[in-house]
Amino acid sequence: MDYPILYLPFSYDLISKVMPNKKIKLIMHGVDTNIYKPLGKEEIKFFKKKVGVNGKFIIGNVSRNQWRKNLPALFKAFAEFSKNKSDAILYYHGAIEDIGWNILDLIDKYELSNKVLYPAVLKANQGFPEEELNMLYNMIDLFCMPSLGEGFGLPIIESISAGTPVLVTDYSACTELTQGKDELIKIGQMYTPIVKEKTAIIDYALVDHNDMVKKMNNFYYNRDLLDIYSKLGREFALKHQWKDKVQDFINLVKVI
């Protein structure tokens, strides 16, 4: 590798330590703010009514069904959060079966049969129209991803670009994409798995269950926070548009 390019300061710092003699460039991932954008309240209301969730408080997750996304932590926390909340819904946008868990088994384990929505026909190798994905982000009240670690996390910046606040692990790239402590889940403990096909030893973060439930409740009972973080997230996304990132790469190639 002649010229490593990293997406965020977190990964930049890590690679700088293991490749101290390399010229490393930091160019953050971008987002198309013309696609991922806030929609009008009436349009969102119409879509929610069409899906059958009008008047519901929706916690959503858009991610691949794989171990690093830590989906059991999401389902477990939502199960506790949603007790005695008839308006609480969890929407998972990903494949029911992939290289992670069987989502139907998680629903059964945490007794969430009437509280979880998912696209039954979506496959891991299947694309999804971005305009419809933006509508889903707008339909969600709070995006939540208790990931063990992220190199970037495109769904996070897509969500905030659409005006939907996030609740993510206070670790790795996730921390750098949030707008305040209310959007961060405390780390319960660190975990270093054995991955035989890789030589690097990588630390992963396990979220604090109680703090995750607490933060979910914080947004549920303080709806003004949703508006505050919605505006802050959109402002952040507008500073990181793809068109600007393309120019950064062009400028870099010219220098090289």
Side-chain angles (χ1 to χ4, degrees):
M1 185 182 295
D2 297 313
Y3 210 106
I5 299 173
L6 284 307
Y7 301 132
L8 280 172
F10 173 79
S11 52
Y12 180 91
D13 292 341
L14 287 177
I15 299 301
S16 295
K17 292 176 182 178
V18 298
M19 304 176 70
N21 299 319
K22 284 284 187 180
K23 289 184 178 181
I24 302 175
K25 181 68 175 179
L26 176 64
I27 300 179
M28 183 174 159
H29 256 317
V31 62
D32 191 333
T33 58
N34 291 318
I35 293 177
Y36 297 101
K37 59 186 178 181
L39 300 175
K41 291 184 178 180
E42 289 303 314
E43 190 173 1
I44 297 173
K45 185 178 179 180
F46 174 81
F47 184 66
K48 280 190 170 185
K49 187 175 181 180
K50 183 178 179 180
V51 178
V53 293
N54 199 28
K56 302 292 186 180
F57 183 87
I58 305 174
I59 291 180
N61 176 287
V62 177
S63 65
R64 184 174 183 186
N65 181 358
Q66 55 124 300
W67 69 274
R68 191 166 46 81
K69 303 304 179 180
N70 198 12
L71 294 177
L74 171 65
F75 280 74
K76 181 180 179 180
F78 178 80
E80 183 171 337
F81 157 79
S82 63
K83 287 180 180 177
N84 303 317
K85 293 185 179 74
S86 60
D87 63 337
I89 292 289
L90 175 62
Y91 180 85
Y92 171 65
H93 187 77
I96 300 305
E97 291 188 81
D98 192 359
I99 56 174
W101 301 266
N102 185 314
I103 299 302
L104 300 181
D105 288 343
L106 288 177
I107 292 173
D108 288 341
K109 177 177 176 61
Y110 296 109
E111 300 179 352
L112 294 169
S113 59
N114 297 320
K115 293 186 176 182
V116 178
L117 296 177
Y118 52 86
V121 298
L122 189 64
K123 304 298 181 183
N125 61 350
Q126 179 183 347
F128 197 80
E130 288 191 292
E131 289 76 11
E132 292 184 31
L133 189 55
N134 179 60
M135 183 66 80
L136 288 173
Y137 283 125
N138 275 269
M139 181 185 75
I140 293 168
D141 294 290
L142 179 66
F143 177 93
C144 184
M145 188 168 70
S147 174
L148 301 179
E150 293 291 331
F152 188 83
L154 281 173
I156 299 175
I157 197 169
E158 289 172 352
S159 179
I160 63 175
S161 182
T164 300
V166 299
L167 180 59
V168 296
T169 311
D170 189 5
Y171 183 62
S172 63
C174 301
T175 304
E176 298 176 330
L177 296 174
T178 57
Q179 310 308 303
K181 60 182 180 61
D182 295 296
E183 292 188 306
L184 293 168
I185 310 166
K186 292 179 181 179
I187 298 173
Q189 65 183 69
M190 299 302 295
Y191 169 59
T192 308
I194 297 173
V195 184
K196 293 184 178 180
E197 65 270 19
K198 295 183 179 180
T199 57
I201 296 177
I202 302 175
D203 294 328
Y204 292 94
L206 297 172
V207 292
D208 182 304
H209 169 77
N210 292 330
D211 188 65
M212 189 172 175
V213 175
K214 176 183 175 182
K215 297 286 173 56
M216 287 180 173
N217 276 308
N218 193 31
F219 278 102
Y220 180 84
Y221 290 113
N222 300 283
R223 302 295 173 92
D224 58 319
L225 284 178
L226 296 173
D227 293 331
I228 291 172
Y229 283 103
S230 173
K231 294 175 182 177
L232 291 174
R234 178 63 179 175
E235 290 172 2
F236 178 85
L238 287 171
K239 297 176 183 177
H240 299 284
Q241 301 185 66
W242 272 126
K243 62 182 181 65
D244 298 325
K245 305 305 173 181
V246 170
Q247 189 59 51
D248 288 340
F249 275 97
I250 292 174
N251 295 338
L252 176 61
V253 172
K254 288 181 179 179
V255 172
I256 296 175

